[in-house]
Amino acid sequence: MAATATSVVAPSTIDRKAVFQRYATYAILLGVVVWLAVNLIHSPSQFFSAGAEGFSNGMLYALIALGYTLVYGIIELINFAHGDLFMLGALFSGFLLTTVMGADHSNLLGWVLFLVTLVATMAFCGGINVTLEFVAYRRLRRAPKLAPLITAVGMSFILQFVGLKWNGSTPKQWPSVLPEGDFGIGGFRVDYSLLAVVVVTVPVLLLLRWVVTSTRQGKAMRAVAQDQDAARLMGVNVNRTISFTFLLGGALAGTAGVMYQQVVGTTAYNLGYQMGLIAFTSAVLGGIGNITGAVLGGLLIGVIQGFNDGLPYGFGQRWSQSVVFTILILLMVFKPEGLLGRPTTEKV
């Protein structure tokens, strides 16, 4: 009988690798802490202002990232059209609020119309997302994973073309109905727009978590995410559950679109590419498929960007994307499943 050779990794090699990774992580964290401390000592007001700006952007990233992580968690699809759906939500909200309803000033009527626009945009983006799932993705659930991935890229180009025809090739500026100005906390200033982002985004995130964890439909979502066939045998309507997931993801993208249009005030047909890429990075950073991880990843990337762009000792806006993706690459090297993700094994 022929002997079978097997390769065994020495325990000492594994231990050395783990020790190296641990100390490399500590060195990176120590460098970040020192950098933040130097900036805080040099200019405390600028430090907190940059952090507040980054937190506001991070909330928007989290809303978009949740759409990615919800869809991936239930059917393991990276919906590359999600960023362009956010772009259409920003365009729709500006068109409805300013062009149709004529709201362009911050007053009581403008705030009421803003809430109407928010609900309408959530329904608009949710409806588009459900339509995409029904038309493009449903028939490809059993297909090789490359087929729905390429289909998602194609749908992204289609939505971007719609945005090009709607917005035009140049950026468009919109008025805002949110309160103008800022208020002081200690030695730094906070814009009222940041407060508006928090007031709108936090209840939406809490509502989403309640839906997923405490409702009958949320339990169905978790069952389908775990095993579609077993969920179907237990009486769960898989098609309806997946469509509901796409509806939730689209509504979150619509919420982010409204807030971006009101806070930033500028829309462009290719807006979804950059924002979608950052939001997808947030979902991967936090652990793709993990709701809490998507929020954490979005906030972290937003704050990191805010510090990098606004602190006196930073790389500046030109290097903003490079800083974000360098951090992501380092994390993937040391923790491939993300911050809150769970290691998975591939069945053979």
Side-chain angles (χ1 to χ4, degrees):
M1 181 181 293
T4 303
T6 58
S7 59
V8 179
V9 180
S12 59
T13 303
I14 299 177
D15 293 339
R16 284 197 299 267
K17 182 179 179 181
V19 170
F20 171 76
Q21 290 182 347
R22 186 182 304 115
Y23 281 106
T25 304
Y26 291 157
I28 294 171
L29 291 176
L30 178 62
V32 172
V33 170
V34 170
W35 171 61
L36 292 176
V38 168
N39 281 282
L40 176 60
I41 295 172
H42 181 269
S43 179
S45 61
Q46 193 171 351
F47 180 89
F48 287 110
S49 296
E53 182 71 21
F55 182 80
S56 175
N57 292 333
M59 297 291 277
L60 299 182
Y61 295 153
L63 285 173
I64 307 173
L66 281 169
Y68 282 107
T69 206
L70 282 173
V71 171
Y72 182 85
I74 198 165
I75 61 174
E76 295 187 354
L77 168 68
I78 304 299
N79 184 15
F80 281 109
H82 192 70
D84 297 285
L85 183 65
F86 153 79
M87 176 269 298
L88 289 182
L91 280 176
F92 177 82
S93 64
F95 174 77
L96 179 62
L97 184 61
T98 304
T99 305
V100 176
M101 295 190 290
D104 55 3
H105 291 89
S106 179
N107 50 37
L108 181 59
L109 177 61
W111 301 341
V112 172
L113 295 179
F114 166 78
L115 294 177
V116 173
T117 301
L118 178 64
V119 175
T121 306
M122 293 173 69
F124 173 76
C125 291
I128 292 180
N129 220 24
V130 170
T131 303
L132 292 182
E133 189 276 327
F134 180 78
V135 173
Y137 304 144
R138 181 169 296 188
R139 298 177 183 273
L140 300 175
R141 287 181 197 160
R142 303 288 182 177
K145 291 187 177 181
L146 187 60
L149 185 67
I150 296 301
T151 303
V153 173
M155 296 309 301
S156 172
F157 280 114
I158 292 174
L159 296 184
Q160 192 174 117
F161 178 75
V162 174
L164 175 62
K165 291 298 183 181
W166 194 351
N167 185 86
S169 58
T170 58
K172 182 180 292 187
Q173 193 73 27
W174 302 89
S176 175
V177 299
L178 297 180
E180 298 179 355
D182 53 25
F183 60 96
I185 299 180
F188 72 101
R189 312 297 297 179
V190 178
D191 291 336
Y192 285 116
S193 59
L194 169 62
L195 208 58
V197 171
V198 173
V199 168
V200 172
T201 303
V202 171
V204 170
L205 295 178
L206 293 176
L207 179 62
L208 171 68
R209 183 151 191 93
W210 175 77
V211 168
V212 173
T213 59
S214 303
T215 66
R216 183 182 181 88
Q217 193 62 50
K219 293 177 182 178
M221 289 171 60
R222 286 181 280 131
V224 173
Q226 188 171 13
D227 191 321
Q228 289 189 23
D229 294 328
R232 189 177 288 107
L233 291 174
M234 295 301 293
V236 176
N237 189 324
V238 173
N239 286 335
R240 185 176 64 187
T241 302
I242 294 176
S243 295
F244 181 75
T245 304
F246 273 82
L247 178 66
L248 283 181
L252 292 170
T255 304
V258 174
M259 299 312 302
Y260 183 90
Q261 183 266 329
Q262 285 294 297
V263 173
V264 179
T266 304
T267 57
Y269 76 94
N270 57 356
L271 172 65
Y273 173 76
Q274 180 180 0
M275 292 290 288
L277 191 60
I278 295 175
F280 176 65
T281 304
S282 303
V284 175
L285 180 66
I288 190 73
N290 188 299
I291 293 177
T292 306
V295 177
L296 176 62
L299 291 176
L300 281 177
I301 287 185
V303 171
I304 290 169
Q305 272 193 323
F307 283 148
N308 176 74
D309 299 348
L311 291 182
Y313 300 112
F315 291 99
Q317 293 184 356
R318 291 183 300 176
W319 293 90
S320 183
Q321 306 298 324
S322 300
V323 170
V324 169
F325 283 98
T326 298
I327 292 173
L328 176 67
I329 291 170
L330 289 173
L331 178 70
M332 292 296 100
V333 170
F334 297 115
K335 192 173 175 57
E337 66 275 9
L339 293 173
L340 300 183
R342 296 180 180 179
T344 57
T345 56
E346 189 75 19
K347 296 180 181 180
V348 179

